[in-house]
Amino acid sequence: VWAADAINTLAEREIIQGTSENTFSPGRNITRADFAILLVRALKLTSDATENFSDVESNAYYAEEIATAKGCGIISGVGDNKFNPKKQISRQDMMVIVVRALQKDGYTLDDADDTTLQKFDDASQVADYAKSAIALLVTNDIITGSNGKINPNGNATRAEVATLIYRILNQKA
């Protein structure tokens, strides 16, 4: 698997887990809740906030991390105080949340502008709200794209998320 180093490193650091005792399922799409868990764990984010989204059950395995992410201001939900925790996360939504988390964590990113995206064949598919975040991640070598595409509307896979978090942690070190 192309993401093996990232997956193994994050598993050793107890940031990421498999889908069973012996399986990781790298190609499986990741949910919004599971992405929030990984980002909160990886960056060791904390918040005193206890308020959560109305569609996050208080006893859900992801409730604490989502409340933390909401309290830190890195996630704002999908409207009507909802987060859609079980829905798969799009790559562009993931990237917007990552930039917010990095900025909240005091991470220094080199400036970028939207023209950075023009090197990708599918740049026109990037939503306006995500352009500056994606440009920042590309400029800072955190996101590289694949085969000349950024695939903003595709769902993020577990391997992609592991690689993204691995790159962030390596650049912070």
Side-chain angles (χ1 to χ4, degrees):
V1 174
W2 58 270
D5 287 344
I7 293 165
N8 291 331
T9 299
L10 296 182
E12 288 169 11
R13 294 183 187 177
E14 297 182 356
I15 294 170
I16 202 165
Q17 299 173 347
T19 53
S20 73
E21 189 174 323
N22 299 314
T23 308
F24 183 74
S25 306
R28 183 184 290 177
N29 293 335
I30 196 163
T31 64
R32 294 170 57 80
D34 288 340
F35 176 70
I37 289 171
L38 294 176
L39 199 56
V40 166
R41 283 182 190 162
L43 298 178
K44 297 179 171 83
L45 299 175
T46 59
S47 170
D48 294 333
T50 56
E51 183 183 327
N52 221 323
F53 295 98
S54 62
D55 60 347
V56 175
E57 299 290 329
S58 61
N59 62 346
Y61 71 91
Y62 47 77
E64 183 178 335
E65 287 88 349
I66 290 178
T68 297
K70 183 180 183 185
C72 288
I74 66 169
I75 58 174
S76 55
V78 296
D80 293 329
N81 196 33
K82 294 190 184 307
F83 184 66
N84 286 350
K86 296 177 184 174
K87 183 180 179 197
Q88 297 167 351
I89 192 164
S90 73
R91 290 173 45 83
Q92 66 186 353
D93 284 354
M94 171 190 70
M95 290 185 255
V96 168
I97 293 168
V98 164
V99 168
R100 287 181 191 153
L102 292 175
Q103 290 170 336
K104 175 70 177 172
D105 200 39
Y107 193 89
T108 302
L109 294 169
D110 293 336
D111 289 338
D113 64 50
D114 297 354
T115 60
T116 303
L117 302 179
Q118 297 311 309
K119 69 180 183 179
F120 298 103
D121 297 337
D122 56 355
S124 64
Q125 296 174 21
V126 176
D128 287 343
Y129 73 87
K131 286 180 180 176
S132 62
I134 295 172
L136 280 169
L137 294 178
V138 169
T139 297
N140 287 275
D141 297 321
I142 296 171
I143 293 289
T144 58
S146 178
N147 298 319
K149 297 185 181 215
I150 200 77
N151 192 17
N153 297 305
N155 293 320
T157 66
R158 292 172 48 82
E160 290 169 340
V161 169
T163 300
L164 172 66
I165 291 173
Y166 179 74
R167 284 183 187 149
I168 292 166
L169 294 177
N170 279 345
Q171 286 191 6
K172 283 185 70 170

